[in-house]
Amino acid sequence: MGTAVDAETVLTIASIYWFTNTGASSARLYHEERHTEHPTEPTTAPTGLASFAYDFRPVRKFAERDHSNIVSWSEFGRGGHWATHDAPDLLVADLRQLCRGLRTTEELKRNRSRWGDCRPTGRTSAPRDPVAETAIRQSLVGQGKAQAASWLEEAPASPTVRRRGCAP
């Protein structure tokens, strides 16, 4: 099914969650999913779906039932549930393709006028730990993942970023 993950990679992933204090926020989605009332009507926001070979394979009929505005549907022959680790090249290319398509749509223009420009206005939590980030960056570079290490520089300071004029 998938490839075995070596101990160094497991330690790196666990360290990222531990040093950045994001373990709880990554599990929050599962808690909220279980305790949230789900909409009875299909969503209308532009939606993209990337389906990887070794993960749950969605059924398009059901996806379209729940999301009326699927603007991108991609199926890949490799990768799994952890596509950022298994197939980052496919995931990044798919996200870029989705965003390029959204930038030109009238829907995006309409949403900008309704929600503002959605630029980050600052942190809503404590600043990052520079020592932990240096260790993570060195580990990623050591694994030949220099591009992933550079993304740390561009990432928001916190998973929760307050944005001016955006819908909650």
Side-chain angles (χ1 to χ4, degrees):
M1 185 153 195
T3 59
V5 178
D6 61 284
E8 180 91 14
T9 301
V10 172
L11 182 59
T12 299
I13 293 169
S15 296
I16 290 170
Y17 283 119
W18 182 267
F19 294 135
T20 60
N21 199 24
T22 56
S25 63
S26 68
R28 180 179 174 186
L29 168 70
Y30 301 102
H31 174 79
E32 288 180 358
E33 174 69 21
R34 184 174 178 156
H35 295 90
T36 300
E37 185 176 320
H38 296 282
T40 56
E41 297 296 317
T43 65
T44 58
T47 303
L49 184 129
S51 176
F52 293 90
Y54 302 110
D55 195 10
F56 171 79
R57 300 298 282 207
V59 178
R60 188 157 189 149
K61 175 182 171 183
F62 296 126
E64 289 174 343
R65 176 196 66 193
D66 296 337
H67 309 283
S68 66
N69 193 8
I70 297 176
V71 297
S72 174
W73 184 284
S74 304
E75 295 184 11
F76 299 105
R78 63 183 170 91
H81 183 72
W82 306 105
T84 54
H85 175 74
D86 299 337
D89 57 324
L90 297 178
L91 181 62
V92 169
D94 192 57
L95 286 169
R96 286 180 175 157
Q97 176 265 325
L98 171 67
C99 291
R100 271 193 301 270
L102 289 178
R103 276 190 221 142
T104 60
T105 64
E106 286 300 315
E107 173 119 11
L108 183 62
K109 292 175 187 171
R110 192 168 52 250
N111 287 340
R112 279 189 183 144
S113 67
R114 185 172 51 195
W115 296 333
D117 60 10
C118 295
R119 288 189 307 239
T121 59
R123 297 179 179 152
T124 59
S125 65
R128 294 175 165 172
D129 178 350
V131 174
E133 284 194 8
T134 301
I136 293 166
R137 191 173 299 105
Q138 288 172 348
S139 173
L140 289 169
V141 170
Q143 296 176 38
K145 299 179 181 173
Q147 187 174 15
S150 71
W151 290 338
L152 278 173
E153 302 296 329
E154 301 168 10
S158 150
T160 309
V161 175
R162 186 174 4 105
R163 298 186 185 268
R164 177 177 52 247
C166 291

